[in-house]
Amino acid sequence: MGAITLVLCGALAMRLPQLKPQRAVSARAAATSTTLEAPPRGTVDFDVSKLPTAQPTPADVAADEAPFQWTKQWYPVAVVEYLDPEKPHAFKLLGRDIVVWNDGAVEGATATTKRSARGKRRREAGAWRAFEDACPHRLAPLSEGRVEETGELLCAYHAWRFDGTGACTAIPQSPAEQAAAHRANPRAQCAAFPTTVADGLLWVWPEAGENAALEAATLRSPALVPELHDPALKGRVKALPWNSRELPYGWDFFLENVNDPAHVPVSHHGIVGDRYTGASPLEIEVTKPLKPQSGYEFKITQTGTSAVGAAVSHDTFRPPSLLQITSTFVDGGKMILALYATPSRPGYTNHIGCQILVRNEAGKLPPGLGAFALPMPTWLLHVTASLFLNQDAVFLHHQEKILARGALGRTPYEAKPAGGEYVQSVFTPNAADKGIIIFRQWLARYAGGGVPWVGSTELPPRSHDGDRLFDVYESHTKNCRYCLAALQNVRRAKVGAFVGAALIVLARASIGAIPSALLAGAATLTGALLAKLEQLFFKYEFSHASNH
């Protein structure tokens, strides 16, 4: 590990007593930059470099006023770079179980080729696919299957195979004279969802279907960060690595939280603020009115001392997933938080976010989000993100349940208009709360008041033991190839440190009593610190009462 890694690991160790174990592309622009002519089923490709530069046409304006439909949207579900293309990955989207996988094949592989050991044969760059996570045969989860060297997805229950379009390519149990008919039967096909990759993210369109879903998906672009595609900013934009996590509270509560600038210095005390000196009155002014498709924007003005030289800050919501916080500094630089939230299941949201730094005209980078803007290995950024994310999770996980169940004798807030106005369940007297109210107004007015889940709408119970609330492994590590590799290396280094300490003790006579004691102590301490670091890949507990 490099010097910065060791320093950050040391800083983590000091906190470890708390550880236990683009502007949316219009339909007009999208239609001119993509093609509908016989695309592969379940896949859509966009040229994200071609953003519209002209003023919106009447058709664009009319499209922005069209009713918001939850299933006719692009949702980011994963960071492509972090996914292992050698295996399928399970995710949830709008309550539906999906499996994502890559159909890249090994050159020369055939249907009878056994998958070789990892790294022995090079895979071609395939397309990322998304299916319903259920084999059409007996509904076994395809996420427990295998990606074969042919680029097919194999169900590990009965060895049925599927290509990237969802077509069944092999049913070993079918007699030869019936195999072709069985494979061609529509009931043998997987439900495949349109997918695309933009800004390094895998986006899924939650409607299956070879024709209608693909056509609808092609006429809408994912909600991208405009600065990443602005030709005028070429060479001035620095995007830091993405972080991803399934958080233990709902999509609407995530967006409510990031629409709330007032919580930052208090909830994130010690990282990006001070709870005693940072809280002050705020003014919020709507700069782009609420629209069904393009969302809204508001400007934040702090009447007290401004944070780190920021001249102005804007929050922009681009439905259904992006909340972009743009801080423009007095020297012209910008710091952008691109915060994506995808509704995964009731009581959970799939969050993907990063910092984007924009140099001013003199080439100077603005300050980022504290230590999280420092250069560090991607895996270390991911595990340290728990320090920041869990500062909010301890509130939002419980807040959602309290509101939904009408605790304290107040009117229960149901995530539907029929459940009553949100403001009847809470007390929001200050202008600082205006961003929250704006979001709730958009949700009630244009999006039916809440997510139309597939399957159960029941919220999970409140977690008081921390296993679910502070989980890292299930919510991130298992689907991140960088973190899985780092975890393996940390475990090896930990074992090596403890074995080294034992060998030093055994060699005491040849080394000398005092030197051997010092060396053994150093090796043991290193092993203990690595053991603490190992825990960060599984769970990180946080307590505001202990955060002084």
Side-chain angles (χ1 to χ4, degrees):
M1 293 185 290
I4 186 65
T5 304
L6 292 175
V7 170
L8 286 170
C9 287
L12 278 171
M14 295 177 66
R15 300 182 66 94
L16 288 180
Q18 299 182 65
L19 272 172
K20 297 178 183 177
Q22 80 203 129
R23 179 173 54 185
V25 179
S26 67
R28 168 181 56 81
T32 60
S33 63
T34 61
T35 176
L36 284 174
E37 296 179 6
R41 180 168 51 187
T43 301
V44 177
D45 292 316
F46 290 100
D47 183 354
V48 296
S49 67
K50 296 180 180 179
L51 290 174
T53 57
Q55 292 297 316
T57 66
D60 294 327
V61 175
D64 196 18
E65 298 286 355
F68 179 85
Q69 295 175 277
W70 286 92
T71 58
K72 297 186 181 299
Q73 308 290 335
W74 284 109
Y75 294 91
V77 299
V79 184
V80 168
E81 183 184 1
Y82 304 158
L83 295 174
D84 184 351
E86 296 281 340
K87 65 181 185 180
H89 302 265
F91 290 94
K92 284 184 175 285
L93 175 59
L94 299 179
R96 186 191 301 273
D97 291 299
I98 65 171
V99 56
V100 303
W101 60 287
N102 189 280
D103 67 359
V106 172
E107 185 177 356
T110 67
T112 59
T113 302
K114 292 184 178 180
R115 196 166 78 169
S116 59
R118 183 183 302 273
K120 293 291 181 65
R121 305 178 70 186
R122 184 180 180 87
R123 277 189 186 272
E124 299 174 353
W128 284 97
R129 308 291 187 170
F131 291 173
E132 188 170 23
D133 193 12
C135 178
H137 174 215
R138 296 267 296 283
L139 306 184
L142 291 167
S143 57
E144 294 295 331
R146 297 163 58 86
V147 180
E148 296 300 299
E149 294 202 340
T150 56
E152 296 166 301
L153 182 61
L154 179 141
C155 176
Y157 195 18
H158 292 93
W160 287 34
R161 293 185 183 221
F162 306 91
D163 66 17
T165 72
C168 183
T169 59
I171 303 177
Q173 296 80 17
S174 292
E177 65 275 12
Q178 296 176 313
H182 288 174
R183 292 195 305 269
N185 191 308
R187 296 183 64 186
Q189 314 302 303
C190 289
F193 304 103
T195 59
T196 193
V197 174
D199 290 347
L201 305 182
L202 174 63
W203 302 75
V204 177
W205 183 272
E207 284 186 327
E210 186 173 357
N211 297 316
L214 275 173
E215 182 173 358
T218 306
L219 295 176
R220 182 181 296 277
S221 174
L224 306 178
V225 178
E227 285 80 359
L228 292 177
H229 305 279
D230 187 345
L233 297 177
K234 186 175 181 179
R236 292 171 53 190
V237 178
K238 178 181 179 181
L240 302 183
W242 291 104
N243 184 46
S244 62
R245 188 76 54 89
E246 188 186 42
L247 298 170
Y249 48 87
W251 168 90
D252 51 340
F253 284 85
F254 176 91
L255 285 169
E256 177 182 301
N257 183 59
V258 294
N259 273 280
D260 171 26
H263 87 280
V264 174
V266 184
S267 180
H268 301 297
H269 172 78
I271 293 183
V272 292
D274 187 299
R275 68 169 72 97
Y276 301 109
T277 62
S280 64
L282 300 172
E283 294 295 333
I284 291 178
E285 174 190 354
V286 176
T287 49
K288 290 183 180 178
L290 280 67
K291 297 290 184 181
Q293 301 296 333
S294 61
Y296 56 80
E297 179 183 276
F298 59 80
K299 180 174 73 173
I300 306 160
T301 304
Q302 188 169 354
T303 59
T305 304
S306 62
V308 291
V312 65
S313 180
H314 287 84
D315 279 20
T316 307
F317 175 52
R318 297 185 179 92
S321 296
L322 176 61
L323 195 285
Q324 178 175 330
I325 302 173
T326 305
S327 297
T328 304
F329 297 87
V330 292
D331 64 359
K334 292 182 179 181
M335 192 272 281
I336 298 168
L337 294 180
L339 306 174
Y340 285 103
T342 291
S344 54
R345 49 183 167 146
Y348 289 87
T349 187
N350 188 8
H351 165 53
I352 302 175
C354 78
Q355 298 180 67
I356 300 168
L357 307 179
V358 182
R359 293 177 173 86
N360 62 15
E361 292 186 356
K364 179 183 176 183
L365 277 174
L369 194 64
F372 298 102
L374 296 174
M376 66 179 81
T378 300
W379 67 266
L380 187 58
L381 174 66
H382 290 176
V383 297
T384 55
S386 298
L387 278 70
F388 187 85
L389 294 172
N390 288 4
Q391 288 182 322
D392 286 333
V394 293
F395 300 127
L396 301 172
H397 172 82
H398 299 292
Q399 176 192 24
E400 178 177 28
K401 279 69 173 185
I402 293 170
L403 275 166
R405 291 169 183 166
L408 309 178
R410 298 191 179 188
T411 304
Y413 173 71
E414 300 175 15
K416 300 289 178 186
E421 290 291 335
Y422 174 78
V423 293
Q424 294 176 354
S425 301
V426 297
F427 178 51
T428 51
N430 295 313
D433 297 313
K434 191 173 181 179
I436 301 164
I437 305 305
I438 292 169
F439 166 69
R440 290 291 177 181
Q441 286 177 341
W442 180 90
L443 185 61
R445 187 180 303 173
Y446 299 123
V451 180
W453 300 109
V454 174
S456 174
T457 61
E458 183 73 19
L459 276 177
R462 293 173 66 178
S463 174
H464 294 284
D465 59 10
D467 286 344
R468 182 168 65 251
L469 181 57
F470 299 116
D471 165 73
V472 178
Y473 186 84
E474 292 294 328
S475 64
H476 170 78
T477 303
K478 72 175 185 180
N479 280 321
C480 178
R481 62 188 182 97
Y482 288 135
C483 288
L484 286 174
L487 174 60
Q488 187 177 38
N489 290 335
V490 168
R491 283 174 163 169
R492 288 171 177 168
K494 178 191 70 173
V495 171
F498 286 130
V499 170
L503 292 175
I504 291 169
V505 170
L506 293 175
R508 177 181 177 183
S510 60
I511 297 175
I514 295 179
S516 67
L518 292 175
L519 289 172
T524 302
L525 177 60
T526 300
L529 289 176
L530 288 169
K532 292 291 187 180
L533 181 59
E534 179 185 2
Q535 293 176 42
L536 289 177
F537 292 94
F538 292 91
K539 185 169 72 171
Y540 176 72
E541 294 201 15
F542 181 83
S543 167
H544 283 277
S546 302
N547 184 29
H548 300 295

Short mmCIF file of all heavy atoms in Angstrom, two decimals, residues 371-407:
data_model
loop_
_atom_site.label_atom_id
_atom_site.label_comp_id
_atom_site.label_asym_id
_atom_site.label_seq_id
_atom_site.Cartn_x
_atom_site.Cartn_y
_atom_site.Cartn_z
N ALA A 371 -11.51 14.82 2.78
CA ALA A 371 -10.55 13.75 2.51
C ALA A 371 -10.99 12.87 1.35
O ALA A 371 -10.16 12.18 0.75
CB ALA A 371 -10.34 12.90 3.77
N PHE A 372 -12.28 12.90 1.00
CA PHE A 372 -12.77 12.04 -0.06
C PHE A 372 -12.34 12.53 -1.44
O PHE A 372 -12.59 11.86 -2.44
CB PHE A 372 -14.29 11.92 0.01
CG PHE A 372 -14.77 11.32 1.29
CD1 PHE A 372 -15.29 12.10 2.31
CD2 PHE A 372 -14.66 9.95 1.50
CE1 PHE A 372 -15.72 11.54 3.50
CE2 PHE A 372 -15.08 9.38 2.70
CZ PHE A 372 -15.61 10.18 3.70
N ALA A 373 -11.70 13.70 -1.51
CA ALA A 373 -11.16 14.19 -2.79
C ALA A 373 -9.68 13.90 -2.91
O ALA A 373 -9.07 14.21 -3.94
CB ALA A 373 -11.41 15.70 -2.91
N LEU A 374 -9.06 13.29 -1.88
CA LEU A 374 -7.64 12.96 -1.93
C LEU A 374 -7.41 11.77 -2.86
O LEU A 374 -8.27 10.91 -3.00
CB LEU A 374 -7.12 12.63 -0.54
CG LEU A 374 -7.14 13.76 0.50
CD1 LEU A 374 -6.72 13.22 1.86
CD2 LEU A 374 -6.22 14.89 0.07
N PRO A 375 -6.23 11.72 -3.49
CA PRO A 375 -5.94 10.54 -4.31
C PRO A 375 -5.77 9.32 -3.43
O PRO A 375 -5.03 9.34 -2.44
CB PRO A 375 -4.61 10.93 -5.01
CG PRO A 375 -4.00 11.97 -4.13
CD PRO A 375 -5.15 12.72 -3.51
N MET A 376 -6.47 8.26 -3.76
CA MET A 376 -6.39 7.02 -3.00
C MET A 376 -6.87 5.88 -3.88
O MET A 376 -7.57 6.10 -4.87
CB MET A 376 -7.24 7.11 -1.72
CG MET A 376 -8.74 7.22 -1.96
SD MET A 376 -9.71 7.30 -0.41
CE MET A 376 -9.54 9.03 0.01
N PRO A 377 -6.50 4.65 -3.54
CA PRO A 377 -7.02 3.51 -4.31
C PRO A 377 -8.54 3.49 -4.28
O PRO A 377 -9.17 3.89 -3.30
CB PRO A 377 -6.43 2.30 -3.58
CG PRO A 377 -5.26 2.83 -2.81
CD PRO A 377 -5.60 4.24 -2.45
N THR A 378 -9.14 3.00 -5.35
CA THR A 378 -10.59 2.97 -5.45
C THR A 378 -11.21 2.20 -4.29
O THR A 378 -12.22 2.62 -3.71
CB THR A 378 -11.02 2.36 -6.79
OG1 THR A 378 -10.50 3.16 -7.85
CG2 THR A 378 -12.53 2.31 -6.91
N TRP A 379 -10.62 1.06 -3.93
CA TRP A 379 -11.19 0.25 -2.85
C TRP A 379 -11.19 1.01 -1.52
O TRP A 379 -12.11 0.88 -0.72
CB TRP A 379 -10.45 -1.08 -2.70
CG TRP A 379 -9.02 -0.96 -2.23
CD1 TRP A 379 -7.90 -0.91 -3.01
CD2 TRP A 379 -8.57 -0.87 -0.87
NE1 TRP A 379 -6.77 -0.80 -2.23
CE2 TRP A 379 -7.15 -0.77 -0.92
CE3 TRP A 379 -9.21 -0.86 0.36
CZ2 TRP A 379 -6.37 -0.67 0.24
CZ3 TRP A 379 -8.43 -0.75 1.52
CH2 TRP A 379 -7.02 -0.66 1.45
N LEU A 380 -10.15 1.82 -1.31
CA LEU A 380 -10.08 2.57 -0.06
C LEU A 380 -11.13 3.68 -0.03
O LEU A 380 -11.74 3.96 1.01
CB LEU A 380 -8.68 3.16 0.14
CG LEU A 380 -8.42 3.83 1.48
CD1 LEU A 380 -8.64 2.88 2.64
CD2 LEU A 380 -7.00 4.40 1.53
N LEU A 381 -11.36 4.32 -1.18
CA LEU A 381 -12.44 5.29 -1.27
C LEU A 381 -13.77 4.63 -0.93
O LEU A 381 -14.60 5.21 -0.21
CB LEU A 381 -12.50 5.88 -2.68
CG LEU A 381 -13.68 6.81 -2.97
CD1 LEU A 381 -13.60 8.08 -2.14
CD2 LEU A 381 -13.76 7.14 -4.45
N HIS A 382 -13.97 3.41 -1.40
CA HIS A 382 -15.24 2.72 -1.16
C HIS A 382 -15.44 2.39 0.31
O HIS A 382 -16.53 2.58 0.85
CB HIS A 382 -15.30 1.45 -2.00
CG HIS A 382 -15.43 1.70 -3.46
ND1 HIS A 382 -15.42 0.69 -4.40
CD2 HIS A 382 -15.60 2.85 -4.16
CE1 HIS A 382 -15.57 1.21 -5.61
NE2 HIS A 382 -15.67 2.51 -5.49
N VAL A 383 -14.41 1.86 0.97
CA VAL A 383 -14.61 1.48 2.37
C VAL A 383 -14.70 2.70 3.28
O VAL A 383 -15.44 2.69 4.27
CB VAL A 383 -13.52 0.51 2.86
CG1 VAL A 383 -13.56 -0.79 2.08
CG2 VAL A 383 -12.13 1.12 2.81
N THR A 384 -13.98 3.76 2.95
CA THR A 384 -14.06 4.96 3.79
C THR A 384 -15.37 5.72 3.58
O THR A 384 -15.76 6.53 4.42
CB THR A 384 -12.88 5.92 3.52
OG1 THR A 384 -12.81 6.23 2.13
CG2 THR A 384 -11.57 5.28 3.96
N ALA A 385 -16.06 5.45 2.45
CA ALA A 385 -17.35 6.11 2.22
C ALA A 385 -18.35 5.79 3.31
O ALA A 385 -19.29 6.56 3.55
CB ALA A 385 -17.91 5.69 0.86
N SER A 386 -18.17 4.66 4.00
CA SER A 386 -19.08 4.31 5.09
C SER A 386 -19.09 5.38 6.17
O SER A 386 -20.13 5.62 6.81
CB SER A 386 -18.67 2.96 5.71
OG SER A 386 -18.75 1.92 4.77
N LEU A 387 -17.94 6.02 6.41
CA LEU A 387 -17.89 7.06 7.44
C LEU A 387 -18.88 8.17 7.13
O LEU A 387 -19.52 8.72 8.03
CB LEU A 387 -16.47 7.64 7.52
CG LEU A 387 -15.43 6.88 8.34
CD1 LEU A 387 -15.04 5.57 7.66
CD2 LEU A 387 -14.18 7.74 8.54
N PHE A 388 -19.00 8.51 5.83
CA PHE A 388 -19.88 9.59 5.40
C PHE A 388 -21.33 9.12 5.28
O PHE A 388 -22.26 9.73 5.84
CB PHE A 388 -19.39 10.15 4.07
CG PHE A 388 -20.11 11.38 3.61
CD1 PHE A 388 -19.72 12.63 4.04
CD2 PHE A 388 -21.18 11.29 2.73
CE1 PHE A 388 -20.37 13.78 3.62
CE2 PHE A 388 -21.85 12.42 2.30
CZ PHE A 388 -21.44 13.67 2.75
N LEU A 389 -21.54 8.00 4.58
CA LEU A 389 -22.89 7.53 4.31
C LEU A 389 -23.63 7.13 5.58
O LEU A 389 -24.84 7.38 5.72
CB LEU A 389 -22.84 6.35 3.34
CG LEU A 389 -22.35 6.67 1.93
CD1 LEU A 389 -22.16 5.39 1.14
CD2 LEU A 389 -23.31 7.60 1.21
N ASN A 390 -22.93 6.52 6.53
CA ASN A 390 -23.61 6.05 7.74
C ASN A 390 -23.98 7.17 8.69
O ASN A 390 -24.79 6.97 9.60
CB ASN A 390 -22.75 5.01 8.44
CG ASN A 390 -22.73 3.70 7.69
OD1 ASN A 390 -23.29 3.60 6.60
ND2 ASN A 390 -22.09 2.69 8.23
N GLN A 391 -23.40 8.35 8.50
CA GLN A 391 -23.81 9.49 9.31
C GLN A 391 -25.25 9.88 9.01
O GLN A 391 -25.96 10.39 9.89
CB GLN A 391 -22.87 10.68 9.06
CG GLN A 391 -21.48 10.48 9.67
CD GLN A 391 -20.59 11.69 9.46
OE1 GLN A 391 -20.60 12.33 8.41
NE2 GLN A 391 -19.80 12.02 10.46
N ASP A 392 -25.70 9.67 7.80
CA ASP A 392 -27.10 9.91 7.44
C ASP A 392 -27.97 8.68 7.66
O ASP A 392 -29.14 8.79 8.04
CB ASP A 392 -27.21 10.33 5.96
CG ASP A 392 -26.73 11.74 5.71
OD1 ASP A 392 -26.79 12.56 6.64
OD2 ASP A 392 -26.28 12.01 4.58
N ALA A 393 -27.40 7.50 7.42
CA ALA A 393 -28.20 6.27 7.49
C ALA A 393 -28.82 6.07 8.86
O ALA A 393 -29.94 5.57 8.97
CB ALA A 393 -27.33 5.06 7.12
N VAL A 394 -28.11 6.46 9.91
CA VAL A 394 -28.64 6.25 11.26
C VAL A 394 -29.90 7.09 11.49
O VAL A 394 -30.68 6.79 12.40
CB VAL A 394 -27.59 6.57 12.34
CG1 VAL A 394 -26.46 5.57 12.29
CG2 VAL A 394 -27.05 7.99 12.21
N PHE A 395 -30.11 8.13 10.71
CA PHE A 395 -31.34 8.91 10.81
C PHE A 395 -32.41 8.39 9.86
O PHE A 395 -33.55 8.13 10.23
CB PHE A 395 -31.07 10.38 10.48
CG PHE A 395 -30.09 11.05 11.39
CD1 PHE A 395 -28.99 11.72 10.87
CD2 PHE A 395 -30.25 11.02 12.76
CE1 PHE A 395 -28.09 12.34 11.70
CE2 PHE A 395 -29.35 11.65 13.61
CZ PHE A 395 -28.26 12.31 13.07
N LEU A 396 -32.03 8.27 8.59
CA LEU A 396 -33.02 8.04 7.53
C LEU A 396 -33.67 6.67 7.61
O LEU A 396 -34.85 6.53 7.30
CB LEU A 396 -32.36 8.24 6.17
CG LEU A 396 -31.76 9.65 5.96
CD1 LEU A 396 -30.96 9.70 4.68
CD2 LEU A 396 -32.85 10.70 5.95
N HIS A 397 -32.92 5.66 8.00
CA HIS A 397 -33.49 4.32 8.14
C HIS A 397 -34.66 4.33 9.12
O HIS A 397 -35.71 3.74 8.85
CB HIS A 397 -32.40 3.36 8.63
CG HIS A 397 -32.91 2.01 8.99
ND1 HIS A 397 -33.15 1.03 8.06
CD2 HIS A 397 -33.25 1.46 10.20
CE1 HIS A 397 -33.60 -0.05 8.65
NE2 HIS A 397 -33.67 0.17 9.96
N HIS A 398 -34.51 5.01 10.25
CA HIS A 398 -35.56 5.04 11.27
C HIS A 398 -36.63 6.08 10.94
O HIS A 398 -37.81 5.86 11.18
CB HIS A 398 -34.94 5.32 12.63
CG HIS A 398 -33.96 4.28 13.06
ND1 HIS A 398 -34.33 2.99 13.38
CD2 HIS A 398 -32.61 4.32 13.19
CE1 HIS A 398 -33.25 2.29 13.71
NE2 HIS A 398 -32.20 3.07 13.61
N GLN A 399 -36.21 7.21 10.40
CA GLN A 399 -37.16 8.28 10.05
C GLN A 399 -38.25 7.76 9.11
O GLN A 399 -39.43 8.06 9.28
CB GLN A 399 -36.40 9.43 9.39
CG GLN A 399 -37.28 10.58 8.90
CD GLN A 399 -36.49 11.53 8.01
OE1 GLN A 399 -35.49 11.15 7.41
NE2 GLN A 399 -36.95 12.76 7.92
N GLU A 400 -37.85 6.97 8.11
CA GLU A 400 -38.80 6.44 7.14
C GLU A 400 -39.87 5.61 7.82
O GLU A 400 -41.07 5.74 7.53
CB GLU A 400 -38.05 5.60 6.11
CG GLU A 400 -38.96 4.97 5.06
CD GLU A 400 -38.18 4.20 4.02
OE1 GLU A 400 -37.07 3.70 4.33
OE2 GLU A 400 -38.68 4.09 2.88
N LYS A 401 -39.45 4.75 8.78
CA LYS A 401 -40.41 3.88 9.47
C LYS A 401 -41.30 4.67 10.42
O LYS A 401 -42.50 4.39 10.55
CB LYS A 401 -39.67 2.79 10.24
CG LYS A 401 -39.22 1.60 9.42
CD LYS A 401 -38.11 1.94 8.47
CE LYS A 401 -37.54 0.72 7.76
NZ LYS A 401 -36.38 1.09 6.91
N ILE A 402 -40.73 5.67 11.08
CA ILE A 402 -41.51 6.48 12.00
C ILE A 402 -42.62 7.22 11.25
O ILE A 402 -43.78 7.24 11.66
CB ILE A 402 -40.61 7.48 12.74
CG1 ILE A 402 -39.66 6.73 13.69
CG2 ILE A 402 -41.43 8.50 13.52
CD1 ILE A 402 -38.57 7.60 14.28
N LEU A 403 -42.27 7.80 10.10
CA LEU A 403 -43.26 8.53 9.31
C LEU A 403 -44.33 7.60 8.76
O LEU A 403 -45.52 7.91 8.79
CB LEU A 403 -42.56 9.26 8.16
CG LEU A 403 -41.99 10.63 8.47
CD1 LEU A 403 -41.04 11.08 7.37
CD2 LEU A 403 -43.09 11.65 8.65
N ALA A 404 -43.92 6.44 8.29
CA ALA A 404 -44.86 5.53 7.64
C ALA A 404 -45.86 4.95 8.63
O ALA A 404 -47.00 4.65 8.27
CB ALA A 404 -44.11 4.41 6.95
N ARG A 405 -45.44 4.77 9.87
CA ARG A 405 -46.30 4.09 10.84
C ARG A 405 -46.95 5.03 11.84
O ARG A 405 -47.56 4.58 12.81
CB ARG A 405 -45.47 3.01 11.55
CG ARG A 405 -45.14 1.90 10.55
CD ARG A 405 -44.13 0.92 11.02
NE ARG A 405 -43.86 -0.03 9.92
CZ ARG A 405 -42.83 -0.86 9.89
NH1 ARG A 405 -41.98 -0.87 10.89
NH2 ARG A 405 -42.66 -1.67 8.88
N GLY A 406 -46.81 6.32 11.60
CA GLY A 406 -47.54 7.27 12.43
C GLY A 406 -47.15 7.23 13.88
O GLY A 406 -48.00 7.35 14.76
N ALA A 407 -45.86 7.08 14.15
CA ALA A 407 -45.40 7.07 15.55
C ALA A 407 -45.61 8.44 16.17
O ALA A 407 -45.84 9.43 15.49
CB ALA A 407 -43.93 6.67 15.60
#
